[in-house]
Amino acid sequence: MADIVFAFDAALDRPLAVPGDAPADVAAAFAAAPWEAFEAALATARQARAAALVLFGSTLDPLRASPAQAARLRRAIADLAADGCRTVWLADDATECANVARALAEPAGLSFVTPVAAQRLSVRGLSVEICSARGPAVASSGAGALVPSFASAHSSLLPAQRRVVVGWDDTWTPLHAEGAAMAHGLHAPVPTAAGAAGTLFVWGSRRVQALPAGVHSLPALQARRPDELGAGACGTATLTSVPAAGVPSAAPVPAALGLVAVDGHAAWREVPTHRVAWKTLALESLAGDDEALADTIRGLLETPTTDPAGPLQVVRVAVSCGGSVPRRVHVGQITAETLARLRRPSDRAGGRIWCHEVEPDPDEALEALVRSASASPTGTTASFASLLAGQVLGSESKGLPGGPREAAWLALELLEST
């Protein structure tokens, strides 16, 4: 059981970018992933008998969504309301609230929260205030105290018993495309609010970042890139306790449920919602042609038990070549043939794994280049490789930013192939 379910960045009007060489079943899985992830969050809210589903980030842009998408979301909100679960939509201003309400034809059970208008809910007899962390002071500096809203201060003669603060960074550029850099409006959540007694702070983001203690980081419902914070999940918060018969109300939440107490007032966990997951598979290949490499990869792909109804696994294979530059060049030359063998229809039947890319590992260790140069004459390619590897290892030991290791391998492969 949970009191509130949080769903970040559903982006229902923005389909996942489908790779150009994807087969029909993979393309279909990509197309359906945003809505299926959202429906998984709805199912979580129903199963947990939640009092509220909080939508924040990019849920549905009313200016670009189709009427069918808006109607589908309206039905979902109305169905939740029929089950006793209110939908709380966090928006940046009143104009956005009006546009969303108009596009969805104001379904029952939908309410809004803006930086100047919090929402007071009764959650199983507990007074809970949901407010936004995207106030003017926060947006300009990325830190500072939350601006109290007039609605929050005057909605009741008594203060709320619990406060839920929700913030997120902006993940969508005006023309978001595969590979485009993500824009982030805020640098970090409000640190002062995270430690307040009785306050639950939820921060939605697609990127990995350092957060203050007490802040619950939540990934999007469905990842769009392999380097995101998580594959996709919704968050559930339990602010009240409903003990079983014969169990005192002060009894702790069982650890088996995977819940973590928040200031003694809440418990938090994440529930997977993603339908497409990216995975990197690392292997070592020191010799062999495309057929041998494909057989090795196929054996690794078949090792784990794959759920036929589970998420589609999009696999990238990083091949370590033992520090051999000629082998890296050869692997790069046979990747097309290797992928063709891995994607044969007989291997794809009923599978939930699709090998997207095979490449020499850009993060392969460089120490082997330094060792091999000791047996080579001065002035040879091995000596140059050793010198370059030494410079990269030196910069890495100093913690310098950038990707010097990948650049070093690319330079050596280019030199080898010319």
Side-chain angles (χ1 to χ4, degrees), residues 246-257:
V247 180
S249 59
V253 178
L257 295 180

Side-chain angles (χ1 to χ4, degrees), residues 223-312:
R224 309 275 171 144
R225 298 160 56 96
D227 57 351
E228 291 193 18
L229 173 63
C234 64
T236 67
T238 304
L239 308 177
T240 61
S241 59
V242 183
V247 180
S249 59
V253 178
L257 295 180
L259 304 180
V260 180
V262 181
D263 296 332
H265 299 303
W268 173 267
R269 70 186 179 103
E270 293 184 7
V271 179
T273 57
H274 61 277
R275 298 303 300 162
V276 175
W278 282 265
K279 177 182 179 182
T280 296
L281 180 64
L283 64 89
E284 186 174 34
S285 176
L286 304 181
D289 56 8
D290 58 296
E291 183 176 2
L293 181 58
D295 289 342
T296 302
I297 296 173
R298 189 179 295 109
L300 294 176
L301 294 177
E302 293 174 351
T303 299
T305 302
T306 304
D307 183 2
L312 172 69

Side-chain angles (χ1 to χ4, degrees), residues 10-15 34-35 38 58-60 69 73 224:
L12 299 175
D13 54 293
R14 302 175 187 267
W35 278 100
F38 180 67
S58 175
T59 301
L60 186 80
Q69 290 171 334
L73 180 55
R224 309 275 171 144

Side-chain angles (χ1 to χ4, degrees), residues 95-417:
T95 301
E96 182 181 349
C97 296
N99 290 337
V100 171
R102 187 181 304 111
L104 302 182
E106 301 181 355
L110 176 63
S111 58
F112 294 93
V113 169
T114 67
V116 295
Q119 179 71 228
R120 184 73 65 90
L121 301 176
S122 177
V123 178
R124 299 186 176 96
L126 190 71
S127 178
V128 179
E129 182 181 68
I130 301 177
C131 49
S132 172
R134 292 166 66 88
V138 179
S140 61
S141 64
L146 286 170
V147 180
S149 67
F150 179 88
S152 172
H154 296 80
S155 60
S156 173
L157 296 177
L158 297 176
Q161 295 170 283
R162 300 288 185 271
R163 194 180 194 206
V164 177
V165 182
V166 182
W168 68 97
D169 50 20
D170 298 315
T171 54
W172 297 102
T173 58
L175 295 175
H176 181 78
E178 181 69 16
M182 293 183 180
H184 301 279
L186 306 180
H187 299 293
V190 184
T192 55
T199 298
L200 173 68
F201 201 109
V202 181
W203 180 257
S205 180
R206 289 183 176 270
R207 60 172 178 158
V208 179
Q209 56 187 298
L211 298 177
V215 176
H216 293 277
S217 179
L218 185 66
L221 291 179
Q222 171 60 62
R224 309 275 171 144
R225 298 160 56 96
D227 57 351
E228 291 193 18
L229 173 63
C234 64
T236 67
T238 304
L239 308 177
T240 61
S241 59
V242 183
V247 180
S249 59
V253 178
L257 295 180
L259 304 180
V260 180
V262 181
D263 296 332
H265 299 303
W268 173 267
R269 70 186 179 103
E270 293 184 7
V271 179
T273 57
H274 61 277
R275 298 303 300 162
V276 175
W278 282 265
K279 177 182 179 182
T280 296
L281 180 64
L283 64 89
E284 186 174 34
S285 176
L286 304 181
D289 56 8
D290 58 296
E291 183 176 2
L293 181 58
D295 289 342
T296 302
I297 296 173
R298 189 179 295 109
L300 294 176
L301 294 177
E302 293 174 351
T303 299
T305 302
T306 304
D307 183 2
L312 172 69
Q313 303 288 329
V314 181
V315 178
R316 165 186 168 266
V317 180
V319 182
S320 175
C321 300
S324 170
V325 178
R327 178 59 182 171
R328 292 180 62 89
V329 173
H330 182 64
V331 169
Q333 293 172 343
I334 63 175
T335 53
E337 294 84 355
T338 303
L339 283 172
R341 292 180 178 276
L342 291 171
R343 296 175 180 176
R344 290 180 302 193
S346 58
D347 293 338
R348 291 275 311 139
R352 295 294 291 170
I353 297 179
W354 183 60
C355 190
H356 171 51
E357 184 179 19
V358 177
E359 65 173 351
D361 187 1
D363 294 322
E364 183 176 351
L366 293 164
E367 284 80 3
L369 297 178
V370 179
R371 293 193 299 267
S372 62
S374 59
S376 302
T378 304
T380 62
T381 302
S383 298
F384 169 75
S386 174
L387 177 63
L388 181 59
Q391 292 178 342
V392 172
L393 293 173
S395 65
E396 290 179 348
S397 65
K398 297 176 182 177
L400 298 180
R405 183 177 300 192
E406 182 177 3
W409 282 122
L410 289 174
L412 292 173
E413 291 166 18
L414 179 62
L415 182 63
E416 176 68 23
S417 59

